[in-house]
Amino acid sequence: LSGRSRRSVIRAQLDLDAIAGDQPYDPASLLMLSSMNPPYIDIPLNVASQSVLIDGVERNLGVTLDMPLLEPALRELLTEGGLECVDERNKADLLVTVNAGTRKGNRMGTLHFSYLDLSVSVKRLSDNTEICEVAESNIKGAGGSFSQAGIKAYSKAKKVLEDVVLVELMKRL
């Protein structure tokens, strides 16, 4: 199963060779057995995916973003990975906490640099066990102001979510 697939089928099929074993058969019986289609049954499965609640804080230069930039990207990646994103804690199996913030870097003439520090923690809510935690520091953005550079760093962090965070999470689920 992968992606959004919620249905699968298990096929159980009779192995005629295993039933026959090593016993000698006459040529007519072998011909008959080889021409038979072995009986089988298909068992449909409806697979329930794990549900995820995404929480956390995203700040640019100490100011909380009115519109989060990483949360929607993470939501999309997790959904594509086969997880279901929910908005209520009591409906969630997992809690993903995103903490991200930018800080001022250097300036070269009119070009400003800001750096993003990002941590993502995933916990199983049933027993509060941490499944994984990933931290990335110094994701660099450049722009006409420190604020613009911080937003550029957030854009680069979306790739980090896909390449590092999602890969690590899927390994552990």
Side-chain angles (χ1 to χ4, degrees), residues 115-153:
Y115 297 91
L116 176 80
D117 298 319
L118 167 69
S119 71
V120 179
S121 170
V122 181
K123 289 186 179 181
R124 185 177 297 112
L125 288 174
S126 62
D127 58 4
N128 208 31
T129 303
E130 187 166 77
I131 295 172
C132 75
E133 183 173 15
V134 177
E136 292 287 323
S137 297
N138 299 322
I139 301 169
K140 185 177 184 178
S145 68
F146 287 116
S147 180
Q148 287 177 352
I151 298 301
K152 293 282 188 179

Side-chain angles (χ1 to χ4, degrees), residues 61-94:
L61 304 175
V63 178
T64 301
L65 298 176
D66 293 332
M67 297 288 294
L69 300 172
L70 297 178
E71 184 268 336
L74 185 58
R75 181 178 291 267
E76 183 179 338
L77 290 169
L78 292 174
T79 301
E80 288 173 1
L83 300 173
E84 178 186 1
C85 292
V86 297
D87 294 323
E88 297 175 32
R89 189 179 181 99
N90 63 346
K91 293 181 180 179
D93 299 314
L94 303 172

Side-chain angles (χ1 to χ4, degrees), residues 2 4 9 28 40 50 53 60 67 75 78 80 95 103 111 113 124 129 135 138 140-141 152-153 155 163:
S2 64
R4 294 180 170 259
V9 175
Y40 66 89
Q50 293 192 68
L53 174 65
N60 190 19
M67 297 288 294
R75 181 178 291 267
L78 292 174
E80 288 173 1
L95 174 63
R103 54 190 159 74
L111 190 59
F113 298 96
R124 185 177 297 112
T129 303
N138 299 322
K140 185 177 184 178
K152 293 282 188 179
S155 294
D163 294 346

